[in-house]
Amino acid sequence: LKNAHFFPALSMMADGATKAPAKGKKGGKKEESIYSKTVNLPQTGFNQRANSPKREPELQNFWKEKRVYERLYEESKGAQFVLHDGPPYANGDLHIGHALNKILKDFINRYKILQGNKVRFVPGWDCHGLPIELKVLQSLKGDAKKDLTPFKLRKKAAAFARKTVDSQRESFKRYGIWADWEEPYLTLEPAYEAAQIEAFAAMVKGGHIYRGRKPVNWSPSSRTALAEAELEYPEGHKSKSMYAAFTVTSPAEALKEHADNLKVSVWTTTPWTIPANLAVAVNEALDYVVVKHGDVKLIVAKELTATLAKKLAGEDEEEAKLEVVAEMKGKDLTGTKYKHPL
């Protein structure tokens, strides 16, 4: 074979003079293969296996002993780059979401270090709120819950939060994240709370804070108010809706000739808001009609007349008979007053 000298094993087999030696007997020493010296591999002390459970702690201890993160900041001559962490809740063990959040931030910080910046990553923890209180309540038995006052709950929640901060901090270190782990900010610290009050006072003085009204969601099981972000709806949930008719007491000029027994028809998927109702909104550019249903006249959007007819249908009819007695734009309805149904 041409160039067979590059493949000594192949050359020997081609001549037919040499065969691979037979395997040694069971229990005996395994003979060296004739092919073992035909492959040239690099000689290195680098471990072929990552062996992460052993090597990663060694590497992280090296960072700590040599103060690698701190020295990179101290010795850098570049511009300062500080990333304040958006704090996780101190309410349990870490999960994949924590890993994604912190590792991506670590990418940014290390990239900035490679650019020559003085980089600091300031970690923090949110130590207030319902998630922490729920964890505390879940750990208590029935009798302990009965004697629990708001003050006692806050005290237990603070102790739980501090314990969780220590646990999460060690886990983040194990991820290999570089940060000021010994100087985090905690929202339960008096200094942090004082700074919040100062910031709020500045907003008040600037005229940015006002008192208004908005629906507040309440959790009967947790006995606390809920923020919008804390609401969760089960899949397949269908909200109950309702139709209502508000009696007109002072019609706009365009409605005066139809004022006898006239009502504004409304539909809502939030029936619990009806007690607080103060107004019915109309679109000034849309077409509205006054329809007659029996002895009652109803104001309804023109495009929804057929839908309303089906909803008002009796048992023996597909849809109710609605007689259109007037048509107008939404702007012609403004100023009409009605009586609250409750």
Side-chain angles (χ1 to χ4, degrees):
L1 292 175
K2 188 177 181 180
N3 295 331
H5 59 282
F6 289 111
F7 305 96
L10 180 60
S11 177
M12 294 167 71
M13 292 299 293
D15 294 339
T18 307
K19 293 183 180 180
K23 294 181 179 179
K25 294 182 180 180
K26 188 176 182 181
K29 185 178 180 181
K30 186 177 181 180
E31 296 184 26
E32 184 178 7
S33 169
I34 62 172
Y35 306 112
S36 62
K37 297 180 179 179
T38 65
V39 180
N40 291 324
L41 294 176
Q43 301 299 316
T44 176
F46 192 85
N47 200 325
Q48 295 182 8
R49 294 186 178 181
N51 199 13
S52 297
K54 179 176 182 295
R55 293 291 296 147
E56 285 182 0
E58 291 176 354
L59 180 61
Q60 290 160 12
N61 285 333
F62 174 82
W63 292 343
K64 183 178 180 180
E65 291 171 4
K66 301 297 182 180
R67 298 181 65 251
V68 174
Y69 167 70
E70 291 80 6
R71 287 173 60 194
L72 283 169
Y73 177 83
E74 294 166 0
E75 298 174 12
S76 173
K77 305 300 182 183
Q80 184 159 297
F81 177 82
V82 179
L83 177 59
H84 281 85
D85 193 18
Y89 270 124
N91 69 325
D93 295 330
L94 302 186
H95 52 67
I96 191 65
H98 291 99
L100 176 65
N101 180 288
K102 289 293 183 294
I103 291 172
L104 288 178
K105 290 173 180 175
D106 198 54
F107 285 174
I108 295 170
N109 291 330
R110 291 177 190 247
Y111 169 72
K112 287 293 184 180
I113 289 174
L114 291 174
Q115 286 187 315
N117 296 93
K118 295 172 70 71
V119 176
R120 303 298 285 182
F121 181 31
V122 182
W125 276 270
D126 188 342
C127 303
H128 293 94
L130 182 61
I132 297 172
E133 293 176 4
L134 285 178
K135 282 286 186 178
V136 173
L137 291 172
Q138 290 169 3
S139 67
L140 299 177
K141 295 182 179 180
D143 293 339
K145 288 183 180 180
K146 292 180 181 178
D147 300 330
L148 194 64
T149 63
F151 178 78
K152 290 180 179 178
L153 175 59
R154 285 195 293 269
K155 193 172 182 180
K156 288 181 178 292
F160 177 84
R162 289 187 181 276
K163 182 179 178 181
T164 304
V165 165
D166 292 338
S167 173
Q168 288 190 2
R169 174 165 43 200
E170 293 307 310
S171 296
F172 283 136
K173 288 181 182 178
R174 188 64 182 82
Y175 285 172
I177 309 298
W178 284 354
D180 297 344
W181 292 119
E182 305 311 317
E183 298 180 38
Y185 69 89
L186 307 180
T187 62
L188 56 68
E189 294 287 358
Y192 184 92
E193 293 174 334
Q196 282 188 310
I197 294 173
E198 288 178 358
F200 184 76
M203 290 189 289
V204 172
K205 291 178 181 178
H208 306 301
I209 306 298
Y210 65 93
R211 185 184 295 275
R213 291 190 177 94
K214 65 172 291 184
V216 176
N217 300 287
W218 178 261
S219 171
S221 59
S222 302
R223 294 180 296 174
T224 186
L226 296 176
E228 289 289 340
E230 293 175 315
L231 297 180
E232 293 184 7
Y233 297 94
E235 292 185 12
H237 172 76
K238 292 184 178 180
S239 297
K240 293 183 178 180
S241 63
M242 69 169 287
Y243 288 80
F246 300 165
T247 302
V248 174
T249 58
S250 178
E253 188 65 31
L255 294 172
K256 284 187 177 180
E257 61 179 298
H258 309 291
D260 185 34
N261 210 9
L262 179 63
K263 299 186 177 184
V264 181
S265 58
V266 298
W267 172 74
T268 178
T269 56
T270 56
W272 56 89
T273 63
I274 292 295
N277 175 267
L278 295 175
V280 173
V282 294
N283 187 320
E284 62 178 13
L286 290 183
D287 294 319
Y288 291 83
V289 293
V290 177
V291 297
K292 192 173 183 181
H293 177 58
D295 298 331
V296 178
K297 298 193 201 77
L298 299 169
I299 302 171
V300 61
K302 184 178 180 180
E303 291 185 358
L304 297 178
T305 305
T307 302
L308 182 62
K310 291 180 180 179
K311 294 296 180 182
L312 295 177
E315 295 181 1
D316 300 329
E317 55 184 357
E318 292 186 4
E319 60 180 46
K321 295 179 180 179
L322 299 180
E323 179 188 353
V324 178
V325 297
E327 182 175 337
M328 61 206 69
K329 291 291 184 180
K331 63 181 181 180
D332 299 322
L333 301 175
T334 58
T336 298
K337 295 183 179 180
Y338 59 88
K339 180 181 179 182
H340 195 287
L342 303 180

